[in-house]
Amino acid sequence: MFGKRLSISTQFVLLLMCVLALNAGAFFLLLKNVYMQELRAQAQTVVANVDAFGSWVAQTGRVWVRDGQDSFLGQMDVHPVDTPNQTITFYSKNPALAQREFSETVAASESPAKFRMTSQNVMNPANTPDAFESRALNNIQSFDLPEFFETVGGEYRYAKPVFHTEACIVCHGNAANAPRDVLTRYGSDNGFGFEAGDLAGIISVTIPQRNLLAGTVSLFGMVEIAAIALSILVILWFVRRTIIQPVGELTQMADTISKGQETELDVSSIPLNSRNEIDQLKLATSRMKTSFNLSIRKVKEARAAAQQAIKVAKSLKAQQAEQNKKG
């Protein structure tokens, strides 16, 4: 019923706007999916780099550095060969401590991607999981997930499980067998009792998300908008020129023919095998016009013959009446 009140041009414009809106929505969803896949790939790269760094530290069990008196497990004084009277103190860091300090360095940098390591049984209270990390740990452990990710407060959060290896059990196995410096720093209550293959925790990555809608809009400059507007105008011009105007002309012509009035319809330039629907409609209208004119002519001829017959009948009747009077 609504379509009966609007012209084809208006209906086509409204339909075109709906199609453009649907395409814009589909494009936005596609772009969002690509963006989320890109965020996931970035987070996986961060995890791979952190894991590789931890594996490098674990190759020797500890790394020793000269500057580390604020955060270390053990320490050792060394006298250089060339300067035996000089004492240099080295401080040891295990993989977990080295990775945590690495995460703190990254957090203080300009890198948008941040990470940390946490578990349900942490030695260091500073590594206590937040709300997302607790959900990630529970889901990964309950459903044996290879990864877990969410969007939280405009940030992309990603978690990858880390499993204990034989090298890890040296510090995280039986507390009674743990290195003395580990027990001195962290105590014996948390972070122990694991076996090789157990879930050690997660590498948690945080990446800020851009406003995708604003980013999508920013992709379109004046040139792109002008190109879209021009394409719409070209479509409208084509539809109006090839469909709406010819249909309007044929409608007016059909109305004229229906009133019995003469009208011209030139179809001489249209090939009979044309596959254009408007051309076929013009040919059909031309045939209808010819048939209608023929019918009108036959009706006129029949009317003229009938009128002539009536005149003859009246004349014969008048003659018969005159003869009756004389008889």
Side-chain angles (χ1 to χ4, degrees):
M1 190 68 180
F2 178 74
K4 303 297 183 181
R5 301 176 182 177
L6 301 176
S7 65
I8 295 179
S9 299
T10 304
Q11 293 182 54
F12 179 77
V13 171
L14 293 176
L15 178 62
L16 184 60
M17 293 299 104
C18 290
V19 170
L20 288 175
L22 290 174
N23 287 338
F27 174 76
F28 177 78
L29 293 177
L30 178 62
L31 190 62
K32 180 179 180 180
N33 184 53
V34 172
Y35 180 55
M36 297 305 292
Q37 292 294 330
E38 178 62 25
L39 289 176
R40 180 168 172 261
Q42 290 181 27
Q44 290 174 333
T45 301
V46 172
V47 167
N49 289 335
V50 173
D51 192 41
F53 175 70
S55 297
W56 173 75
V57 176
Q59 286 178 0
T60 56
R62 300 281 180 92
V63 292
W64 294 82
V65 297
R66 292 183 58 174
D67 297 321
Q69 61 271 25
D70 295 331
S71 178
F72 64 94
L73 293 179
Q75 65 182 63
M76 177 176 57
D77 293 335
V78 176
H79 300 282
V81 175
D82 53 346
T83 54
N85 295 328
Q86 181 183 4
T87 300
I88 300 177
T89 302
F90 282 86
Y91 304 90
S92 69
K93 302 176 188 292
N94 66 354
L97 181 56
Q99 286 174 314
R100 182 177 66 79
E101 293 186 356
F102 179 31
S103 72
E104 292 172 351
T105 301
V106 173
S109 71
E110 296 181 358
S111 171
K114 314 297 183 182
F115 78 91
R116 65 194 299 262
M117 301 187 69
T118 184
S119 73
Q120 294 172 323
N121 185 7
V122 295
M123 286 184 171
N124 189 343
N127 296 331
T128 301
D130 60 20
F132 162 77
E133 291 163 344
S134 295
R135 288 195 302 275
L137 286 163
N138 290 331
N139 280 275
I140 287 173
Q141 192 166 40
S142 300
F143 304 106
D144 194 25
L145 300 178
E147 59 185 0
F148 183 82
F149 48 88
E150 288 181 352
T151 297
V152 181
E155 294 179 326
Y156 180 79
R157 303 294 305 274
Y158 179 89
K160 183 79 172 180
V162 178
F163 298 94
H164 282 296
T165 64
E166 291 293 343
C168 302
I169 302 306
V170 175
C171 293
H172 295 282
N174 190 335
N177 300 326
R180 182 178 56 82
D181 53 7
V182 172
L183 295 174
T184 299
R185 181 175 178 83
Y186 298 114
S188 59
D189 295 332
N190 298 315
F192 299 101
F194 292 99
E195 296 180 358
D198 288 346
L199 177 67
I202 58 172
I203 300 176
S204 173
V205 180
T206 302
I207 303 176
Q209 283 189 233
R210 298 192 301 269
N211 186 321
L212 192 56
L213 182 59
T216 303
V217 173
S218 67
L219 292 176
F220 295 92
M222 293 302 298
V223 175
E224 289 78 7
I225 294 175
I228 293 174
L230 181 60
S231 65
I232 293 175
L233 291 176
V234 169
I235 293 173
L236 291 176
W237 171 82
F238 176 80
V239 171
R240 185 171 183 80
R241 181 178 179 276
T242 60
I243 299 176
I244 296 176
Q245 286 184 347
V247 169
E249 293 173 358
L250 290 172
T251 301
Q252 184 178 2
M253 191 171 297
D255 182 66
T256 302
I257 294 173
S258 68
K259 295 176 181 179
Q261 301 175 359
E262 288 294 331
T263 182
E264 294 294 332
L265 179 59
D266 185 13
V267 294
S268 59
S269 61
I270 301 176
L272 296 178
N273 60 349
S274 173
R275 303 186 66 177
N276 185 295
E277 289 80 358
I278 298 298
D279 287 346
Q280 292 296 327
L281 180 58
K282 287 182 178 180
L283 292 172
T285 304
S286 177
R287 291 192 296 268
M288 181 190 71
K289 173 178 173 293
T290 302
S291 299
F292 189 79
N293 289 339
L294 181 61
S295 298
I296 292 295
R297 186 167 63 250
K298 289 182 178 180
V299 169
K300 289 180 178 179
E301 291 175 354
R303 181 183 298 172
Q307 291 175 349
Q308 183 64 32
I310 292 172
K311 289 181 180 180
V312 172
K314 287 182 178 180
S315 176
L316 291 175
K317 186 177 180 181
Q319 293 177 4
Q320 184 67 33
E322 185 65 29
Q323 291 178 358
N324 290 338
K325 287 181 181 179
K326 291 180 178 181

